[in-house]
């Protein structure tokens, strides 16, 4: 039995493939719009194509015995989604519907979905649990919540099980040093700061200093990608063993760090001094997003291993290489 990883050439997908290949047969489907073929572990089969392409999905589902689909493929930039919502609804919703239809048609019944803290919008609590109300404030978050709702509907009427994983801010690099965070252009805070500290950017822009947080900059919960990858594998095995089905779990470290604190930690880890420019708010950004991940700890025993220092340390090691 094999696992199909949609978006396995991307940042989180490629790290999960690396964790999967030692135990499972893995097929990667990716159109390489934001991913890179060189990130895919060579033990995986790679199919270059789009998840909205019915013929490619028919081919994969008939030539491989797929037991589960891990679905990472999406557009995932908050600011871009505000500027170009149709791109987000087309890729994150319409193309995913094609994948789901083909799974049902071919009798593939296990699905793990990459969702996001952006489904919560501006939470009315300091620490977000899965019971916190979902009220996304940007098209990206809405596109993910729509798929979550569609999954619940499908599971009511088909032989189909899903796990939704709502990640907070994914960061860090694989401990092998072989792969790390690659987005082009890069928009994520930690790689931008590290690129600057390596001399590849003139300065860092901090988007917004007037948020209702301790220092006025946005607070996020950063989680290492290997911790995320392990949560996917535990979720899959939990479903396959009949322990869990049709659940939604947060994945975070349970600690919030402001943009300024991230810059400080990057300076400490690298031993270099940053040049910072304070800029206006970026559209679509909530002030604070911090997770409680107790639900997945209770269900599957998952706990994050990497703290912020270790996350930034792994990213710095990879960037320096
Ligand atoms: N990076 C984060 O902090 C974060 C946080 C929460 C949720 N997520 C979610 O995790 C997933 C992975 O994020 P990432 O940071 O690795 O992004 P990424 O852009 O690095 O990876 C996405 C991959 O999907 C591929 N892809 C996109 N649309 C496709 C399509 N229609 N057909 C085939 N392949 C397609 C891209 O080429 C890329 O390789 C996304 O669903 C994202 O919404 C990411
Ligand atoms: O040059 C920069 C880049 C970012 N930020 C700020 O840093 C914080 C983190 O931004 P970023 O790294 O872009 O991540 P988010 O926008 O929080 O989104 C990430 O985390 C979300 C979950 O919380 C996921 O859903 C998204 O896919 C993923 O991109 C935000 O307050 C940004 O405004 C800056 O101040 N300057």
């Amino acid at each position: 039995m094999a696992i199909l990883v949609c978006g396995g050439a991307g940042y989180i997908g490629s790290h999960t493939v690396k964790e999967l290949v030692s135990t499972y047969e893995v097929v990667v489907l990716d159109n390489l719009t934001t991913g890179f073929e060189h990130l895919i572990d060579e033990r995986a089969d790679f199919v270059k194509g789009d998840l909205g392409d019915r013929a490619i999905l028919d081919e994969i589902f008939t030539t491989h015995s797929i037991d589960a689909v891990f679905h990472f493929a999406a557009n995932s930039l908050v600011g871009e989604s505000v500027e170009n919502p149709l791109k987000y609804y087309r890729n994150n919703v319409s193309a995913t519907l094609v994948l789901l239809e083909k799974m049902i048609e071919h009798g593939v019944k296990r699905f793990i979905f990459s969702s996001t803290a952006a489904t919560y919008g501006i939470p009315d609590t300091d620490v977000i649990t899965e019971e916190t109300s979902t009220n996304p404030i940007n098209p990206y978050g809405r596109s993910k919540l729509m798929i979550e709702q569609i999954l619940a509907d499908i599971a009511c009427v088909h032989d189909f099980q899903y796990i939704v994983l709502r990640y907070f801010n994914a960061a860090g690099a694989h401990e092998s040093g072989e792969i790390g965070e690659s987005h082009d252009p890069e928009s994520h805070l930690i790689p931008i700061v590290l690129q600057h500290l390596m001399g590849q950017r003139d300065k860092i822009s901090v988007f917004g200093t007037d948020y209702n947080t301790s220092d006025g900059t946005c607070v996020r919960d950063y989680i290492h990608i290997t911790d995320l990858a392990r949560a996917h594998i535990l979720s899959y095995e939990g479903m396959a063993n009949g322990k869990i089905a049709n659940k939604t779990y947060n994945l975070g470290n349970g600690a919030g760090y402001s943009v300024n604190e991230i810059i400080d930690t990057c300076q400490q880890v690298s031993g270099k001094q940053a040049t910072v420019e304070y800029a206006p708010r970026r559209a679509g950004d909530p002030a604070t997003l911090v997770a409680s991940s107790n639900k997945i700890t209770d269900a599957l025993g998952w706990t994050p291993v990497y703290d912020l220092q270790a996350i930034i340390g792994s990213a710095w090691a990879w960037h320096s290489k």
Side-chain angles (χ1 to χ4, degrees):
M1 294 297 258
I3 293 172
L4 172 62
V5 180
C6 297
Y11 172 44
I12 306 171
S14 63
H15 285 76
T16 306
V17 168
K18 225 178 202 357
E19 297 299 311
L20 277 170
V21 283
S22 51
T23 314
Y24 296 100
E25 184 187 336
V26 177
V27 181
V28 169
L29 173 64
D30 200 298
N31 63 9
L32 301 182
T33 49
T34 60
F36 303 93
E37 189 170 350
H38 67 83
L39 295 180
I40 306 171
D41 191 287
E42 56 193 19
R43 288 166 285 179
D45 276 351
F46 173 48
V47 179
K48 184 178 173 194
D50 198 282
L51 65 119
D53 185 328
R54 291 167 194 275
I56 284 182
L57 291 171
D58 282 334
E59 173 79 12
I60 291 172
F61 288 136
T62 48
T63 55
H64 297 271
S65 186
I66 303 289
D67 189 48
V69 176
F70 289 22
H71 180 33
F72 297 94
N75 294 112
S76 58
L77 303 179
V78 168
E80 183 189 55
S81 81
V82 175
E83 284 158 21
N84 193 353
L86 285 174
K87 174 176 178 178
Y88 278 69
Y89 294 122
R90 191 187 318 112
N91 203 35
N92 296 3
V93 181
S94 301
T96 299
L97 288 184
V98 175
L99 171 66
L100 291 169
E101 282 167 8
K102 283 294 165 190
M103 285 181 66
I104 302 292
E105 193 181 315
H106 289 272
V108 180
K109 62 179 185 191
R110 297 192 178 101
F111 189 74
I112 299 187
F113 180 55
S114 301
S115 190
T116 166
T119 54
Y120 292 108
I122 300 174
D124 52 10
T125 170
D126 287 342
V127 178
I128 299 171
T129 72
E130 295 79 358
E131 310 312 317
T132 302
S133 58
T134 47
N135 192 12
I137 61 164
N138 50 60
Y140 167 60
R142 273 191 282 279
S143 72
K144 292 285 184 173
L145 188 59
M146 283 176 193
I147 295 297
E148 290 192 15
Q149 292 164 336
I150 290 165
L151 291 174
D153 289 341
I154 295 173
C156 289
V157 291
H158 293 286
D159 183 13
F160 178 89
Q161 302 177 332
Y162 69 87
I163 298 295
V164 167
L165 298 177
R166 291 181 180 152
Y167 328 147
F168 284 60
N169 289 51
H174 196 263
E175 59 197 14
S176 66
E178 288 168 13
I179 54 174
E181 185 159 13
S182 288
H183 294 109
D184 186 17
E186 189 52 76
S187 67
H188 295 88
L189 179 64
I190 291 176
I192 282 178
V193 177
L194 296 181
Q195 285 170 359
H196 164 65
L197 293 171
M198 297 210 50
Q200 294 164 2
R201 289 172 186 267
D202 292 348
K203 58 178 189 260
I204 307 157
S205 299
V206 172
F207 300 139
T209 54
D210 58 349
Y211 286 97
N212 185 20
T213 59
S214 58
D215 64 18
T217 67
C218 285
V219 170
R220 294 288 181 273
D221 181 336
Y222 294 85
I223 170 89
H224 195 271
I225 25 79
T226 302
D227 284 328
L228 287 182
R230 281 192 306 105
H232 285 74
I233 296 170
L234 284 175
S235 296
Y236 166 61
E237 292 173 349
M239 253 196 301
N241 296 334
K243 201 170 167 189
I244 53 165
N246 309 336
K247 301 285 186 203
T248 297
Y249 299 118
N250 285 343
L251 292 175
N253 264 317
Y257 295 95
S258 72
V259 174
N260 284 335
E261 287 171 326
I262 293 296
I263 295 170
D264 285 347
T265 309
C266 290
Q267 292 182 139
Q268 282 164 27
V269 166
S270 66
K272 294 175 188 285
Q273 188 65 35
T275 303
V276 176
E277 161 195 84
Y278 291 100
R281 290 183 178 201
R282 190 177 66 177
D285 276 343
T288 301
L289 293 172
V290 179
S292 157
S293 304
N294 291 343
K295 187 174 167 188
I296 192 168
T297 304
D298 293 346
L300 297 172
W302 176 88
T303 49
V305 171
Y306 290 77
D307 64 12
L308 187 69
Q309 286 278 341
I311 290 171
I312 292 180
S314 71
W316 178 247
W318 183 74
H319 278 271
S320 309
K321 214 173 151 190

